mmCIF file of all heavy atoms in Angstrom:
data_model
loop_
_atom_site.group_PDB
_atom_site.id
_atom_site.type_symbol
_atom_site.label_atom_id
_atom_site.label_comp_id
_atom_site.label_asym_id
_atom_site.label_seq_id
_atom_site.Cartn_x
_atom_site.Cartn_y
_atom_site.Cartn_z
ATOM 1 N N ASN A 5 61.535 21.722 60.046
ATOM 2 C CA ASN A 5 60.252 21.283 59.519
ATOM 3 C C ASN A 5 60.221 19.783 59.232
ATOM 4 O O ASN A 5 59.661 19.342 58.240
ATOM 5 C CB ASN A 5 59.878 22.074 58.267
ATOM 6 C CG ASN A 5 58.378 22.184 58.131
ATOM 7 O OD1 ASN A 5 57.630 21.671 58.948
ATOM 8 N ND2 ASN A 5 57.942 22.850 57.090
ATOM 9 N N ALA A 6 60.852 19.010 60.074
ATOM 10 C CA ALA A 6 60.824 17.556 59.909
ATOM 11 C C ALA A 6 59.410 17.045 60.151
ATOM 12 O O ALA A 6 58.626 17.657 60.856
ATOM 13 C CB ALA A 6 61.781 16.896 60.906
ATOM 14 N N THR A 7 59.094 15.928 59.533
ATOM 15 C CA THR A 7 57.769 15.347 59.700
ATOM 16 C C THR A 7 57.618 14.812 61.112
ATOM 17 O O THR A 7 58.457 14.055 61.592
ATOM 18 C CB THR A 7 57.557 14.213 58.685
ATOM 19 O OG1 THR A 7 57.643 14.768 57.381
ATOM 20 C CG2 THR A 7 56.211 13.564 58.855
ATOM 21 N N ALA A 8 56.549 15.213 61.763
ATOM 22 C CA ALA A 8 56.277 14.756 63.125
ATOM 23 C C ALA A 8 55.905 13.282 63.108
ATOM 24 O O ALA A 8 55.369 12.787 62.123
ATOM 25 C CB ALA A 8 55.132 15.572 63.715
ATOM 26 N N PRO A 9 56.210 12.560 64.197
ATOM 27 C CA PRO A 9 55.800 11.156 64.263
ATOM 28 C C PRO A 9 54.307 11.038 64.006
ATOM 29 O O PRO A 9 53.510 11.825 64.500
ATOM 30 C CB PRO A 9 56.151 10.758 65.698
ATOM 31 C CG PRO A 9 57.200 11.729 66.116
ATOM 32 C CD PRO A 9 56.882 13.018 65.388
ATOM 33 N N GLY A 10 53.937 10.060 63.204
ATOM 34 C CA GLY A 10 52.537 9.857 62.885
ATOM 35 C C GLY A 10 52.107 10.536 61.599
ATOM 36 O O GLY A 10 51.065 10.225 61.044
ATOM 37 N N PHE A 11 52.889 11.477 61.074
ATOM 38 C CA PHE A 11 52.521 12.135 59.823
ATOM 39 C C PHE A 11 53.087 11.402 58.628
ATOM 40 O O PHE A 11 52.539 11.474 57.548
ATOM 41 C CB PHE A 11 52.953 13.599 59.814
ATOM 42 C CG PHE A 11 52.046 14.448 60.648
ATOM 43 C CD1 PHE A 11 52.402 14.815 61.928
ATOM 44 C CD2 PHE A 11 50.823 14.846 60.166
ATOM 45 C CE1 PHE A 11 51.560 15.582 62.705
ATOM 46 C CE2 PHE A 11 49.966 15.612 60.937
ATOM 47 C CZ PHE A 11 50.338 15.976 62.211
ATOM 48 N N CYS A 12 54.175 10.742 58.789
ATOM 49 C CA CYS A 12 54.692 9.866 57.746
ATOM 50 C C CYS A 12 55.275 8.667 58.469
ATOM 51 O O CYS A 12 56.342 8.734 59.070
ATOM 52 C CB CYS A 12 55.736 10.556 56.879
ATOM 53 S SG CYS A 12 56.116 9.620 55.385
ATOM 54 N N THR A 13 54.554 7.594 58.424
ATOM 55 C CA THR A 13 54.943 6.373 59.111
ATOM 56 C C THR A 13 55.996 5.627 58.307
ATOM 57 O O THR A 13 56.307 5.995 57.166
ATOM 58 C CB THR A 13 53.719 5.465 59.287
ATOM 59 O OG1 THR A 13 53.247 5.107 57.976
ATOM 60 C CG2 THR A 13 52.609 6.165 60.062
ATOM 61 N N ALA A 14 56.522 4.567 58.888
ATOM 62 C CA ALA A 14 57.461 3.718 58.149
ATOM 63 C C ALA A 14 56.805 3.220 56.862
ATOM 64 O O ALA A 14 57.436 3.167 55.806
ATOM 65 C CB ALA A 14 57.908 2.548 59.016
ATOM 66 N N ARG A 15 55.522 2.890 56.951
ATOM 67 C CA ARG A 15 54.773 2.458 55.755
ATOM 68 C C ARG A 15 54.716 3.591 54.731
ATOM 69 O O ARG A 15 54.794 3.348 53.524
ATOM 70 C CB ARG A 15 53.362 2.028 56.169
ATOM 71 C CG ARG A 15 52.535 1.487 55.050
ATOM 72 C CD ARG A 15 52.622 -0.015 55.002
ATOM 73 N NE ARG A 15 51.638 -0.538 54.078
ATOM 74 C CZ ARG A 15 51.939 -1.382 53.111
ATOM 75 N NH1 ARG A 15 53.162 -1.828 52.983
ATOM 76 N NH2 ARG A 15 51.011 -1.811 52.292
ATOM 77 N N GLY A 16 54.590 4.816 55.197
ATOM 78 C CA GLY A 16 54.585 5.968 54.296
ATOM 79 C C GLY A 16 55.911 6.123 53.559
ATOM 80 O O GLY A 16 55.942 6.413 52.362
ATOM 81 N N TYR A 17 57.017 5.909 54.264
ATOM 82 C CA TYR A 17 58.326 5.977 53.608
ATOM 83 C C TYR A 17 58.474 4.849 52.584
ATOM 84 O O TYR A 17 59.025 5.045 51.498
ATOM 85 C CB TYR A 17 59.454 5.905 54.640
ATOM 86 C CG TYR A 17 59.578 7.158 55.470
ATOM 87 C CD1 TYR A 17 59.339 7.142 56.834
ATOM 88 C CD2 TYR A 17 59.936 8.370 54.885
ATOM 89 C CE1 TYR A 17 59.444 8.288 57.600
ATOM 90 C CE2 TYR A 17 60.045 9.522 55.644
ATOM 91 C CZ TYR A 17 59.794 9.475 57.000
ATOM 92 O OH TYR A 17 59.899 10.616 57.748
ATOM 93 N N GLU A 18 57.964 3.654 52.919
ATOM 94 C CA GLU A 18 57.982 2.531 51.968
ATOM 95 C C GLU A 18 57.167 2.878 50.728
ATOM 96 O O GLU A 18 57.568 2.562 49.608
ATOM 97 C CB GLU A 18 57.394 1.273 52.609
ATOM 98 C CG GLU A 18 58.258 0.654 53.672
ATOM 99 C CD GLU A 18 57.543 -0.488 54.399
ATOM 100 O OE1 GLU A 18 56.476 -0.948 53.919
ATOM 101 O OE2 GLU A 18 58.050 -0.907 55.446
ATOM 102 N N HIS A 19 56.039 3.521 50.944
ATOM 103 C CA HIS A 19 55.185 3.918 49.827
ATOM 104 C C HIS A 19 55.921 4.898 48.916
ATOM 105 O O HIS A 19 55.856 4.791 47.683
ATOM 106 C CB HIS A 19 53.899 4.525 50.372
ATOM 107 C CG HIS A 19 52.831 4.706 49.348
ATOM 108 N ND1 HIS A 19 51.647 5.326 49.629
ATOM 109 C CD2 HIS A 19 52.746 4.375 48.038
ATOM 110 C CE1 HIS A 19 50.889 5.357 48.552
ATOM 111 N NE2 HIS A 19 51.544 4.784 47.570
ATOM 112 N N GLY A 20 56.622 5.858 49.496
ATOM 113 C CA GLY A 20 57.398 6.810 48.710
ATOM 114 C C GLY A 20 58.469 6.116 47.879
ATOM 115 O O GLY A 20 58.676 6.447 46.707
ATOM 116 N N ALA A 21 59.143 5.137 48.465
ATOM 117 C CA ALA A 21 60.173 4.385 47.735
ATOM 118 C C ALA A 21 59.536 3.577 46.605
ATOM 119 O O ALA A 21 60.093 3.486 45.499
ATOM 120 C CB ALA A 21 60.926 3.466 48.690
ATOM 121 N N PHE A 22 58.369 2.991 46.869
ATOM 122 C CA PHE A 22 57.644 2.232 45.847
ATOM 123 C C PHE A 22 57.266 3.153 44.686
ATOM 124 O O PHE A 22 57.456 2.808 43.514
ATOM 125 C CB PHE A 22 56.394 1.594 46.463
ATOM 126 C CG PHE A 22 55.536 0.853 45.480
ATOM 127 C CD1 PHE A 22 55.816 -0.458 45.141
ATOM 128 C CD2 PHE A 22 54.435 1.471 44.902
ATOM 129 C CE1 PHE A 22 55.025 -1.146 44.231
ATOM 130 C CE2 PHE A 22 53.639 0.799 43.993
ATOM 131 C CZ PHE A 22 53.936 -0.514 43.659
ATOM 132 N N LEU A 23 56.736 4.321 45.010
ATOM 133 C CA LEU A 23 56.340 5.283 43.991
ATOM 134 C C LEU A 23 57.529 5.677 43.119
ATOM 135 O O LEU A 23 57.409 5.769 41.894
ATOM 136 C CB LEU A 23 55.730 6.516 44.659
ATOM 137 C CG LEU A 23 55.145 7.585 43.756
ATOM 138 C CD1 LEU A 23 53.949 7.053 42.983
ATOM 139 C CD2 LEU A 23 54.727 8.799 44.585
ATOM 140 N N ALA A 24 58.678 5.873 43.727
ATOM 141 C CA ALA A 24 59.878 6.259 42.979
ATOM 142 C C ALA A 24 60.245 5.209 41.936
ATOM 143 O O ALA A 24 60.762 5.540 40.861
ATOM 144 C CB ALA A 24 61.049 6.482 43.937
ATOM 145 N N ASP A 51 53.360 17.967 55.152
ATOM 146 C CA ASP A 51 54.703 17.402 55.189
ATOM 147 C C ASP A 51 54.736 16.034 54.521
ATOM 148 O O ASP A 51 55.731 15.645 53.914
ATOM 149 C CB ASP A 51 55.197 17.271 56.627
ATOM 150 C CG ASP A 51 55.386 18.624 57.299
ATOM 151 O OD1 ASP A 51 55.077 19.663 56.682
ATOM 152 O OD2 ASP A 51 55.839 18.639 58.450
ATOM 153 N N ARG A 52 53.639 15.290 54.632
ATOM 154 C CA ARG A 52 53.544 13.970 54.002
ATOM 155 C C ARG A 52 53.763 14.052 52.502
ATOM 156 O O ARG A 52 54.400 13.186 51.919
ATOM 157 C CB ARG A 52 52.146 13.396 54.218
ATOM 158 C CG ARG A 52 52.044 12.364 55.227
ATOM 159 C CD ARG A 52 50.716 11.681 55.031
ATOM 160 N NE ARG A 52 50.097 11.459 56.309
ATOM 161 C CZ ARG A 52 48.865 11.042 56.448
ATOM 162 N NH1 ARG A 52 48.109 10.830 55.417
ATOM 163 N NH2 ARG A 52 48.386 10.840 57.634
ATOM 164 N N LEU A 54 55.517 16.106 50.759
ATOM 165 C CA LEU A 54 56.932 16.283 50.464
ATOM 166 C C LEU A 54 57.703 14.982 50.677
ATOM 167 O O LEU A 54 58.486 14.561 49.826
ATOM 168 C CB LEU A 54 57.503 17.403 51.340
ATOM 169 C CG LEU A 54 58.955 17.770 51.119
ATOM 170 C CD1 LEU A 54 59.197 18.218 49.688
ATOM 171 C CD2 LEU A 54 59.353 18.879 52.085
ATOM 172 N N TRP A 55 57.463 14.320 51.803
ATOM 173 C CA TRP A 55 58.183 13.080 52.089
ATOM 174 C C TRP A 55 57.799 11.961 51.131
ATOM 175 O O TRP A 55 58.624 11.117 50.803
ATOM 176 C CB TRP A 55 57.974 12.656 53.532
ATOM 177 C CG TRP A 55 58.672 13.584 54.480
ATOM 178 C CD1 TRP A 55 58.087 14.457 55.341
ATOM 179 C CD2 TRP A 55 60.074 13.767 54.621
ATOM 180 N NE1 TRP A 55 59.042 15.174 56.014
ATOM 181 C CE2 TRP A 55 60.278 14.772 55.597
ATOM 182 C CE3 TRP A 55 61.188 13.195 54.027
ATOM 183 C CZ2 TRP A 55 61.539 15.197 55.979
ATOM 184 C CZ3 TRP A 55 62.449 13.624 54.411
ATOM 185 C CH2 TRP A 55 62.614 14.614 55.375
ATOM 186 N N MET A 56 56.563 11.955 50.646
ATOM 187 C CA MET A 56 56.131 10.943 49.677
ATOM 188 C C MET A 56 56.901 11.068 48.367
ATOM 189 O O MET A 56 57.249 10.082 47.734
ATOM 190 C CB MET A 56 54.617 11.083 49.421
ATOM 191 C CG MET A 56 54.079 10.179 48.334
ATOM 192 S SD MET A 56 54.238 8.436 48.672
ATOM 193 C CE MET A 56 53.065 8.292 49.981
ATOM 194 N N LEU A 57 57.194 12.297 47.975
ATOM 195 C CA LEU A 57 57.847 12.540 46.692
ATOM 196 C C LEU A 57 59.367 12.579 46.772
ATOM 197 O O LEU A 57 60.050 12.562 45.758
ATOM 198 C CB LEU A 57 57.330 13.860 46.102
ATOM 199 C CG LEU A 57 55.824 13.890 45.833
ATOM 200 C CD1 LEU A 57 55.423 15.248 45.311
ATOM 201 C CD2 LEU A 57 55.408 12.788 44.887
ATOM 202 N N TRP A 58 59.874 12.631 47.988
ATOM 203 C CA TRP A 58 61.327 12.784 48.158
ATOM 204 C C TRP A 58 62.135 11.672 47.487
ATOM 205 O O TRP A 58 63.111 11.963 46.788
ATOM 206 C CB TRP A 58 61.663 12.884 49.648
ATOM 207 C CG TRP A 58 63.056 13.360 49.875
ATOM 208 C CD1 TRP A 58 64.097 12.644 50.354
ATOM 209 C CD2 TRP A 58 63.568 14.665 49.583
ATOM 210 N NE1 TRP A 58 65.220 13.416 50.406
ATOM 211 C CE2 TRP A 58 64.927 14.665 49.933
ATOM 212 C CE3 TRP A 58 63.009 15.826 49.082
ATOM 213 C CZ2 TRP A 58 65.730 15.784 49.784
ATOM 214 C CZ3 TRP A 58 63.808 16.937 48.930
ATOM 215 C CH2 TRP A 58 65.150 16.903 49.286
ATOM 216 N N PRO A 59 61.780 10.387 47.626
ATOM 217 C CA PRO A 59 62.566 9.341 46.945
ATOM 218 C C PRO A 59 62.567 9.495 45.420
ATOM 219 O O PRO A 59 63.588 9.257 44.768
ATOM 220 C CB PRO A 59 61.877 8.041 47.367
ATOM 221 C CG PRO A 59 61.198 8.368 48.654
ATOM 222 C CD PRO A 59 60.756 9.798 48.503
ATOM 223 N N THR A 60 61.452 9.924 44.851
ATOM 224 C CA THR A 60 61.399 10.131 43.398
ATOM 225 C C THR A 60 62.289 11.301 43.011
ATOM 226 O O THR A 60 63.027 11.227 42.024
ATOM 227 C CB THR A 60 59.944 10.383 42.941
ATOM 228 O OG1 THR A 60 59.134 9.275 43.349
ATOM 229 C CG2 THR A 60 59.863 10.531 41.435
ATOM 230 N N PHE A 150 50.478 -0.246 45.270
ATOM 231 C CA PHE A 150 51.124 -0.401 46.573
ATOM 232 C C PHE A 150 50.167 -0.945 47.621
ATOM 233 O O PHE A 150 50.511 -1.821 48.393
ATOM 234 C CB PHE A 150 51.693 0.944 47.037
ATOM 235 C CG PHE A 150 52.422 0.861 48.352
ATOM 236 C CD1 PHE A 150 53.682 0.293 48.415
ATOM 237 C CD2 PHE A 150 51.855 1.349 49.518
ATOM 238 C CE1 PHE A 150 54.357 0.206 49.619
ATOM 239 C CE2 PHE A 150 52.527 1.267 50.718
ATOM 240 C CZ PHE A 150 53.782 0.694 50.769
#
Side-chain angles (χ1 to χ4, degrees):
N5 210 359
T7 298
F11 284 100
C12 192
T13 63
R15 184 95 170 128
Y17 289 115
E18 289 173 13
H19 192 185
F22 177 84
L23 185 64
D51 294 3
R52 256 195 223 171
L54 183 59
W55 290 111
M56 174 63 69
L57 299 178
W58 194 250
T60 303
F150 182 75

